[in-house]
PDB file of all heavy atoms in Angstrom:
ATOM      1  N   SER A 228     -41.215  84.247 -23.854  1.00 80.00           N
ATOM      2  CA  SER A 228     -41.155  84.528 -22.415  1.00 80.00           C
ATOM      3  C   SER A 228     -42.228  83.769 -21.640  1.00 80.00           C
ATOM      4  O   SER A 228     -41.973  83.273 -20.540  1.00 80.00           O
ATOM      5  CB  SER A 228     -41.314  86.029 -22.148  1.00 80.00           C
ATOM      6  OG  SER A 228     -40.152  86.709 -22.555  1.00 80.00           O
ATOM      7  N   ALA A 229     -43.418  83.678 -22.193  1.00 81.00           N
ATOM      8  CA  ALA A 229     -44.491  82.935 -21.521  1.00 81.00           C
ATOM      9  C   ALA A 229     -44.150  81.451 -21.459  1.00 81.00           C
ATOM     10  O   ALA A 229     -44.323  80.794 -20.429  1.00 81.00           O
ATOM     11  CB  ALA A 229     -45.818  83.146 -22.244  1.00 81.00           C
ATOM     12  N   ALA A 230     -43.661  80.919 -22.557  1.00 84.00           N
ATOM     13  CA  ALA A 230     -43.326  79.493 -22.602  1.00 84.00           C
ATOM     14  C   ALA A 230     -42.139  79.171 -21.708  1.00 84.00           C
ATOM     15  O   ALA A 230     -42.097  78.118 -21.069  1.00 84.00           O
ATOM     16  CB  ALA A 230     -43.033  79.073 -24.036  1.00 84.00           C
ATOM     17  N   LEU A 231     -41.198  80.093 -21.642  1.00 83.00           N
ATOM     18  CA  LEU A 231     -40.002  79.841 -20.844  1.00 83.00           C
ATOM     19  C   LEU A 231     -40.310  79.823 -19.351  1.00 83.00           C
ATOM     20  O   LEU A 231     -39.549  79.289 -18.560  1.00 83.00           O
ATOM     21  CB  LEU A 231     -38.931  80.883 -21.163  1.00 83.00           C
ATOM     22  CG  LEU A 231     -37.505  80.545 -20.764  1.00 83.00           C
ATOM     23  CD1 LEU A 231     -37.084  79.191 -21.331  1.00 83.00           C
ATOM     24  CD2 LEU A 231     -36.561  81.629 -21.238  1.00 83.00           C
ATOM     25  N   HIS A 232     -41.421  80.417 -18.955  1.00 81.00           N
ATOM     26  CA  HIS A 232     -41.863  80.317 -17.568  1.00 81.00           C
ATOM     27  C   HIS A 232     -42.586  78.994 -17.324  1.00 81.00           C
ATOM     28  O   HIS A 232     -42.441  78.392 -16.274  1.00 81.00           O
ATOM     29  CB  HIS A 232     -42.847  81.439 -17.221  1.00 81.00           C
ATOM     30  CG  HIS A 232     -42.218  82.654 -16.645  1.00 81.00           C
ATOM     31  ND1 HIS A 232     -41.092  82.643 -15.873  1.00 81.00           N
ATOM     32  CD2 HIS A 232     -42.585  83.949 -16.717  1.00 81.00           C
ATOM     33  CE1 HIS A 232     -40.780  83.860 -15.503  1.00 81.00           C
ATOM     34  NE2 HIS A 232     -41.669  84.677 -16.000  1.00 81.00           N
ATOM     35  N   ARG A 233     -43.389  78.558 -18.264  1.00 86.00           N
ATOM     36  CA  ARG A 233     -44.316  77.462 -18.023  1.00 86.00           C
ATOM     37  C   ARG A 233     -43.798  76.079 -18.417  1.00 86.00           C
ATOM     38  O   ARG A 233     -44.023  75.101 -17.711  1.00 86.00           O
ATOM     39  CB  ARG A 233     -45.630  77.759 -18.732  1.00 86.00           C
ATOM     40  CG  ARG A 233     -46.368  78.900 -18.064  1.00 86.00           C
ATOM     41  CD  ARG A 233     -47.362  79.570 -19.004  1.00 86.00           C
ATOM     42  NE  ARG A 233     -48.030  80.691 -18.364  1.00 86.00           N
ATOM     43  CZ  ARG A 233     -47.539  81.924 -18.310  1.00 86.00           C
ATOM     44  NH1 ARG A 233     -46.354  82.194 -18.838  1.00 86.00           N
ATOM     45  NH2 ARG A 233     -48.198  82.896 -17.732  1.00 86.00           N
ATOM     46  N   VAL A 234     -43.149  75.976 -19.556  1.00 88.00           N
ATOM     47  CA  VAL A 234     -42.732  74.657 -20.048  1.00 88.00           C
ATOM     48  C   VAL A 234     -41.683  74.007 -19.135  1.00 88.00           C
ATOM     49  O   VAL A 234     -41.871  72.854 -18.724  1.00 88.00           O
ATOM     50  CB  VAL A 234     -42.280  74.734 -21.522  1.00 88.00           C
ATOM     51  CG1 VAL A 234     -41.673  73.425 -21.967  1.00 88.00           C
ATOM     52  CG2 VAL A 234     -43.457  75.124 -22.410  1.00 88.00           C
ATOM     53  N   PRO A 235     -40.598  74.698 -18.771  1.00 88.00           N
ATOM     54  CA  PRO A 235     -39.657  74.055 -17.840  1.00 88.00           C
ATOM     55  C   PRO A 235     -40.286  73.754 -16.479  1.00 88.00           C
ATOM     56  O   PRO A 235     -39.968  72.749 -15.850  1.00 88.00           O
ATOM     57  CB  PRO A 235     -38.522  75.082 -17.699  1.00 88.00           C
ATOM     58  CG  PRO A 235     -38.595  75.880 -18.951  1.00 88.00           C
ATOM     59  CD  PRO A 235     -40.060  75.961 -19.287  1.00 88.00           C
ATOM     60  N   PHE A 236     -41.205  74.616 -16.041  1.00 88.00           N
ATOM     61  CA  PHE A 236     -41.912  74.370 -14.784  1.00 88.00           C
ATOM     62  C   PHE A 236     -42.681  73.052 -14.870  1.00 88.00           C
ATOM     63  O   PHE A 236     -42.679  72.255 -13.932  1.00 88.00           O
ATOM     64  CB  PHE A 236     -42.861  75.530 -14.475  1.00 88.00           C
ATOM     65  CG  PHE A 236     -43.643  75.341 -13.214  1.00 88.00           C
ATOM     66  CD1 PHE A 236     -43.043  75.497 -11.976  1.00 88.00           C
ATOM     67  CD2 PHE A 236     -44.985  74.995 -13.258  1.00 88.00           C
ATOM     68  CE1 PHE A 236     -43.758  75.320 -10.800  1.00 88.00           C
ATOM     69  CE2 PHE A 236     -45.713  74.816 -12.103  1.00 88.00           C
ATOM     70  CZ  PHE A 236     -45.095  74.976 -10.865  1.00 88.00           C
ATOM     71  N   MET A 237     -43.314  72.809 -15.998  1.00 90.00           N
ATOM     72  CA  MET A 237     -44.046  71.558 -16.208  1.00 90.00           C
ATOM     73  C   MET A 237     -43.082  70.363 -16.116  1.00 90.00           C
ATOM     74  O   MET A 237     -43.390  69.344 -15.508  1.00 90.00           O
ATOM     75  CB  MET A 237     -44.735  71.609 -17.575  1.00 90.00           C
ATOM     76  CG  MET A 237     -45.399  70.352 -17.994  1.00 90.00           C
ATOM     77  SD  MET A 237     -46.865  70.064 -17.015  1.00 90.00           S
ATOM     78  CE  MET A 237     -47.354  68.507 -17.689  1.00 90.00           C
ATOM     79  N   PHE A 238     -41.911  70.521 -16.721  1.00 93.00           N
ATOM     80  CA  PHE A 238     -40.909  69.453 -16.668  1.00 93.00           C
ATOM     81  C   PHE A 238     -40.462  69.190 -15.232  1.00 93.00           C
ATOM     82  O   PHE A 238     -40.396  68.048 -14.793  1.00 93.00           O
ATOM     83  CB  PHE A 238     -39.703  69.796 -17.545  1.00 93.00           C
ATOM     84  CG  PHE A 238     -38.602  68.785 -17.448  1.00 93.00           C
ATOM     85  CD1 PHE A 238     -38.696  67.585 -18.125  1.00 93.00           C
ATOM     86  CD2 PHE A 238     -37.497  69.017 -16.652  1.00 93.00           C
ATOM     87  CE1 PHE A 238     -37.694  66.624 -18.012  1.00 93.00           C
ATOM     88  CE2 PHE A 238     -36.497  68.071 -16.535  1.00 93.00           C
ATOM     89  CZ  PHE A 238     -36.590  66.878 -17.225  1.00 93.00           C
ATOM     90  N   TRP A 239     -40.149  70.249 -14.482  1.00 92.00           N
ATOM     91  CA  TRP A 239     -39.674  70.073 -13.105  1.00 92.00           C
ATOM     92  C   TRP A 239     -40.759  69.476 -12.214  1.00 92.00           C
ATOM     93  O   TRP A 239     -40.461  68.676 -11.320  1.00 92.00           O
ATOM     94  CB  TRP A 239     -39.144  71.384 -12.529  1.00 92.00           C
ATOM     95  CG  TRP A 239     -37.877  71.823 -13.191  1.00 92.00           C
ATOM     96  CD1 TRP A 239     -37.686  72.958 -13.923  1.00 92.00           C
ATOM     97  CD2 TRP A 239     -36.630  71.123 -13.228  1.00 92.00           C
ATOM     98  NE1 TRP A 239     -36.396  73.005 -14.403  1.00 92.00           N
ATOM     99  CE2 TRP A 239     -35.734  71.896 -13.993  1.00 92.00           C
ATOM    100  CE3 TRP A 239     -36.194  69.923 -12.697  1.00 92.00           C
ATOM    101  CZ2 TRP A 239     -34.423  71.498 -14.222  1.00 92.00           C
ATOM    102  CZ3 TRP A 239     -34.877  69.526 -12.936  1.00 92.00           C
ATOM    103  CH2 TRP A 239     -34.014  70.306 -13.682  1.00 92.00           C
ATOM    104  N   CYS A 240     -42.012  69.874 -12.437  1.00 93.00           N
ATOM    105  CA  CYS A 240     -43.117  69.275 -11.667  1.00 93.00           C
ATOM    106  C   CYS A 240     -43.231  67.784 -11.952  1.00 93.00           C
ATOM    107  O   CYS A 240     -43.402  66.975 -11.028  1.00 93.00           O
ATOM    108  CB  CYS A 240     -44.441  69.968 -12.003  1.00 93.00           C
ATOM    109  SG  CYS A 240     -44.599  71.606 -11.289  1.00 93.00           S
ATOM    110  N   ALA A 241     -43.140  67.420 -13.225  1.00 95.00           N
ATOM    111  CA  ALA A 241     -43.214  66.001 -13.592  1.00 95.00           C
ATOM    112  C   ALA A 241     -42.043  65.231 -12.988  1.00 95.00           C
ATOM    113  O   ALA A 241     -42.209  64.112 -12.485  1.00 95.00           O
ATOM    114  CB  ALA A 241     -43.233  65.848 -15.112  1.00 95.00           C
ATOM    115  N   LEU A 242     -40.869  65.831 -13.003  1.00 95.00           N
ATOM    116  CA  LEU A 242     -39.688  65.177 -12.439  1.00 95.00           C
ATOM    117  C   LEU A 242     -39.827  64.998 -10.925  1.00 95.00           C
ATOM    118  O   LEU A 242     -39.468  63.938 -10.382  1.00 95.00           O
ATOM    119  CB  LEU A 242     -38.433  65.982 -12.771  1.00 95.00           C
ATOM    120  CG  LEU A 242     -37.099  65.290 -12.566  1.00 95.00           C
ATOM    121  CD1 LEU A 242     -36.994  64.025 -13.412  1.00 95.00           C
ATOM    122  CD2 LEU A 242     -35.969  66.243 -12.904  1.00 95.00           C
ATOM    123  N   CYS A 243     -40.366  66.001 -10.245  1.00 95.00           N
ATOM    124  CA  CYS A 243     -40.604  65.870  -8.796  1.00 95.00           C
ATOM    125  C   CYS A 243     -41.616  64.765  -8.508  1.00 95.00           C
ATOM    126  O   CYS A 243     -41.435  63.974  -7.574  1.00 95.00           O
ATOM    127  CB  CYS A 243     -41.096  67.197  -8.220  1.00 95.00           C
ATOM    128  SG  CYS A 243     -39.802  68.444  -8.125  1.00 95.00           S
ATOM    129  N   PHE A 244     -42.675  64.714  -9.304  1.00 94.00           N
ATOM    130  CA  PHE A 244     -43.683  63.671  -9.132  1.00 94.00           C
ATOM    131  C   PHE A 244     -43.052  62.293  -9.335  1.00 94.00           C
ATOM    132  O   PHE A 244     -43.260  61.366  -8.543  1.00 94.00           O
ATOM    133  CB  PHE A 244     -44.839  63.893 -10.109  1.00 94.00           C
ATOM    134  CG  PHE A 244     -45.854  62.795 -10.107  1.00 94.00           C
ATOM    135  CD1 PHE A 244     -46.721  62.645  -9.040  1.00 94.00           C
ATOM    136  CD2 PHE A 244     -45.939  61.916 -11.169  1.00 94.00           C
ATOM    137  CE1 PHE A 244     -47.652  61.610  -9.026  1.00 94.00           C
ATOM    138  CE2 PHE A 244     -46.864  60.893 -11.168  1.00 94.00           C
ATOM    139  CZ  PHE A 244     -47.725  60.742 -10.094  1.00 94.00           C
ATOM    140  N   TYR A 245     -42.263  62.155 -10.405  1.00 95.00           N
ATOM    141  CA  TYR A 245     -41.595  60.889 -10.693  1.00 95.00           C
ATOM    142  C   TYR A 245     -40.676  60.492  -9.531  1.00 95.00           C
ATOM    143  O   TYR A 245     -40.671  59.337  -9.084  1.00 95.00           O
ATOM    144  CB  TYR A 245     -40.795  60.997 -11.986  1.00 95.00           C
ATOM    145  CG  TYR A 245     -39.991  59.765 -12.298  1.00 95.00           C
ATOM    146  CD1 TYR A 245     -40.605  58.646 -12.846  1.00 95.00           C
ATOM    147  CD2 TYR A 245     -38.625  59.715 -12.037  1.00 95.00           C
ATOM    148  CE1 TYR A 245     -39.865  57.494 -13.132  1.00 95.00           C
ATOM    149  CE2 TYR A 245     -37.887  58.582 -12.314  1.00 95.00           C
ATOM    150  CZ  TYR A 245     -38.510  57.477 -12.863  1.00 95.00           C
ATOM    151  OH  TYR A 245     -37.788  56.343 -13.128  1.00 95.00           O
TER     152      TYR A 245
END
Side-chain angles (χ1 to χ4, degrees):
S228 288
L231 198 53
H232 268 328
R233 290 158 182 85
V234 172
F236 179 75
M237 174 71 183
F238 176 78
W239 291 117
C240 286
L242 195 59
C243 288
F244 174 72
Y245 176 79

